[in-house]
Amino acid sequence: MTTEKYQEAVDWLFIQAPNYQIDGEKAYKPGLDNITKLCDFFDNPQEKIKCIHIGGTNGKGSSSNMLASVLQDSGYKVGLYNSPHLIDFTERIKVNGRNCDKEFVFNFIQKLKGLPEDILPSFFEFTTIMAFEYFYQQQVDFAIIEVGLGGRLDSTNIIKPLVSAITNVQLDHQNILGDTIEQIAFEKAGIIKNNTPIIFGDENEVVRNIIKEKSIKENALFVDATLLKTDLKSDLKGNYQEKNIKVVLALIEELRKLNVNISDQNIENGLLNVHKNTGFIGRWFEFSQNPLTICDTGHNQAGLEQVFTQLNSIDKHKHVILGFVVDKKIDEVMSLLPENSEFYFAKPSIYRGRHPKDYEDLLINAKIFYKIFDSVQEAYLSAKQRCTNEEMIFIGGSNFVVGEFLEKNLEFSE
């Protein structure tokens, strides 16, 4: 199989089942009917692997990668299903930090082409069954499955996990999940299974009550990770990782109750070697020291608020590169922008990318120093030219902005 054939197959997948559409809804098929048919067609591989289910608005990617790293340090073979990918499709499906084999992806897509006509999966359903089958073929000890969108109607919700977690609940994807925190919490709570422990990492009392009420209905042990005390650190450097570490520790404690052998040294080593063990990047990722260049995929209001708060704590003049997709509420972002900064707004190269000229009135009203660019790379090269080693560059606002930046520049990082 050639690289060209692999790329043709992945391109076919995107064309047949686009990951996103302009209105954000057509590509999303809520419900478990399609994934149930898909799993039946492939003889239900998800029932032959031990799964851990992690949902939440923010932090589920970091938490799942930290847990994977700890389990790997403990000697286990670990499957990890994350989304979205930043550079290559195979990043979504990993075993012990290695991206899914491209030949497997190519061969599996050929099988997808032969599906019965009554199965019309979404892109995420395609990739979810692909992950289940890959993890089964690889005979992983554990498969950590990250929820795609919401929870109750997400295609990953077909699994019967050993333990589940909801990192937090914030406003995001309101056009699909609901306009209020309560509605979104209800959707997230949908991953809670009967007699399956649920770890919760949010300090919002309203949300906590909704999650706890569902856990009682399901006779599921409710574990409030926010009550844990720890001084353990991770090589994932965002300040927000402190909360995610607590979620991971609570997950580990429940796995230990199931006789999963994880030592305290495994925990410490695993948390400090997430990048090395899983290849996870994009969360407060230090691309360069000279000048200091940070990128972070935080993209909703809560995520950006945390990221910009940490940026404000750095006593440097900042060159901030931002880009957004069409469904982003830009006005909410304007009120959060970091101080002591000049801004470079760019259009992500995907068709959902929003050109800054469309929201330039908001930039003018914000009374900030800004420039507009047609691409992320143009914005970065401009910022790099203006930035001194005493200043810093930040790239963010969207997974697509960070992915585009890394694809162009990662080989040149320090």
Side-chain angles (χ1 to χ4, degrees):
M1 182 208 65
T2 63
T3 301
E4 290 76 15
K5 282 189 173 294
Y6 161 76
Q7 195 56 54
E8 284 176 11
V10 172
D11 289 343
W12 176 89
L13 184 59
F14 275 98
I15 291 167
Q16 290 296 309
N19 196 5
Y20 292 97
Q21 297 203 13
I22 294 299
D23 60 13
E25 294 187 41
K26 291 180 183 176
Y28 173 66
K29 295 185 178 182
L32 302 181
D33 289 346
N34 266 332
I35 192 64
T36 299
K37 291 177 183 177
L38 269 173
C39 288
D40 285 343
F41 183 81
F42 286 98
D43 198 25
N44 291 299
Q46 80 286 356
E47 294 180 358
K48 303 168 188 174
I49 52 179
K50 295 178 180 178
C51 294
I52 298 155
H53 208 188
I54 300 183
T57 304
N58 297 312
K60 55 185 182 287
S62 296
S63 298
S64 58
N65 275 268
M66 283 193 279
L67 179 60
S69 182
V70 171
L71 287 171
Q72 285 172 229
D73 196 82
S74 305
Y76 295 107
K77 191 174 186 180
V78 185
L80 181 60
Y81 180 45
N82 289 136
S83 63
H85 63 272
L86 291 179
I87 300 173
D88 189 84
F89 173 83
T90 55
E91 295 169 29
R92 293 170 176 261
I93 304 169
K94 294 182 178 183
V95 172
N96 278 13
R98 291 178 61 89
N99 289 4
C100 178
D101 182 69
K102 288 186 176 181
E103 189 160 353
F104 169 83
V105 172
F106 174 82
N107 291 332
F108 197 78
I109 289 175
Q110 308 317 305
K111 295 178 182 178
L112 293 176
K113 291 179 179 179
L115 286 174
E117 291 183 0
D118 64 325
I119 307 178
L120 295 171
S122 68
F123 175 88
F124 192 73
E125 288 164 340
F126 270 138
T127 56
T128 298
I129 183 59
M130 190 184 294
F132 292 156
E133 180 65 18
Y134 190 66
F135 295 153
Y136 170 61
Q137 288 189 17
Q138 291 288 310
Q139 291 294 288
V140 299
D141 296 308
F142 300 99
I144 302 171
I145 308 297
E146 179 190 329
V147 173
L149 181 62
R152 181 175 65 94
L153 301 177
D154 187 74
S155 59
T156 65
N157 206 26
I158 195 171
I159 64 174
K160 297 174 182 176
L162 301 172
V163 58
S164 302
I166 298 171
T167 55
N168 55 57
V169 177
Q170 306 285 349
L171 291 172
D172 199 17
H173 300 294
Q174 291 101 307
N175 59 325
I176 295 172
L177 301 179
D179 293 325
T180 67
I181 283 288
E182 290 82 359
Q183 289 173 317
I184 296 174
F186 172 78
E187 294 299 326
K188 303 285 185 189
I191 70 169
I192 300 173
K193 303 289 193 304
N194 188 255
N195 291 315
T196 303
I198 179 71
I199 311 302
F200 186 61
D202 200 325
E203 295 173 346
N204 185 315
E205 189 172 347
V206 172
V207 175
R208 182 193 286 115
N209 290 339
I210 292 170
I211 304 301
K212 194 168 187 178
E213 183 179 339
K214 179 66 186 298
S215 71
I216 292 171
K217 286 182 181 177
E218 296 293 340
N219 194 34
L221 176 67
F222 176 85
V223 179
D224 187 347
T226 67
L227 301 178
L228 294 179
K229 306 292 184 185
T230 182
D231 57 2
L232 288 171
K233 301 295 181 185
S234 171
D235 60 337
L236 303 184
K237 294 300 183 185
N239 291 343
Y240 49 81
Q241 299 297 1
E242 295 174 9
K243 295 179 180 179
N244 296 330
I245 288 171
K246 292 182 179 182
V247 169
V248 172
L249 293 178
L251 282 164
I252 290 167
E253 189 56 38
E254 293 308 311
L255 290 172
R256 281 172 159 177
K257 291 179 184 177
L258 298 173
N259 297 317
V260 179
N261 187 23
I262 304 170
S263 71
D264 290 347
Q265 192 62 54
N266 293 144
I267 296 172
E268 185 175 345
N269 292 343
L271 290 175
L272 289 174
N273 291 282
V274 181
H275 178 64
K276 175 185 173 185
N277 289 343
T278 73
F280 187 56
I281 57 175
R283 308 306 194 273
W284 202 259
F285 176 61
E286 190 172 295
F287 173 82
S288 169
Q289 270 286 350
N290 295 299
L292 177 62
T293 303
I294 301 287
C295 55
D296 193 286
T297 55
H299 57 277
N300 53 45
Q301 186 175 4
L304 286 171
E305 187 170 8
Q306 289 179 322
V307 169
F308 290 162
T309 297
Q310 186 162 355
L311 268 180
N312 282 331
S313 71
I314 301 174
D315 187 21
K316 287 177 180 282
H317 182 72
K318 303 164 187 72
H319 298 260
V320 178
I321 301 164
L322 297 173
F324 308 104
V325 293
V326 292
D327 56 353
K328 182 60 57 186
K329 294 183 178 179
I330 310 292
D331 56 333
E332 294 178 351
V333 178
M334 290 300 105
S335 64
L336 303 173
L337 292 176
E339 303 160 359
N340 191 22
S341 302
E342 51 192 274
F343 297 90
Y344 306 70
F345 290 93
K347 178 188 179 299
S349 62
I350 62 161
Y351 60 85
R352 282 177 69 231
R354 189 171 179 186
H355 201 288
K357 289 180 180 177
D358 294 343
Y359 53 85
E360 190 169 10
D361 57 328
L362 296 175
L363 305 182
I364 293 170
N365 290 338
K367 295 179 178 169
I368 56 176
F369 180 81
Y370 71 90
K371 290 184 177 181
I372 286 177
F373 298 86
D374 292 329
S375 75
V376 172
Q377 187 66 1
E378 287 179 33
Y380 170 63
L381 292 176
S382 177
K384 188 177 180 183
Q385 188 174 34
R386 289 178 57 85
C387 185
T388 70
N389 281 346
E390 289 70 43
E391 300 173 339
M392 71 170 291
I393 297 173
F394 174 82
I395 303 104
S398 165
N399 285 290
F400 304 106
V401 170
V402 174
E404 192 174 331
F405 165 73
L406 292 175
E407 184 175 15
K408 297 281 188 184
N409 302 285
L410 190 57
E411 62 181 295
F412 305 114
S413 64
E414 294 178 358

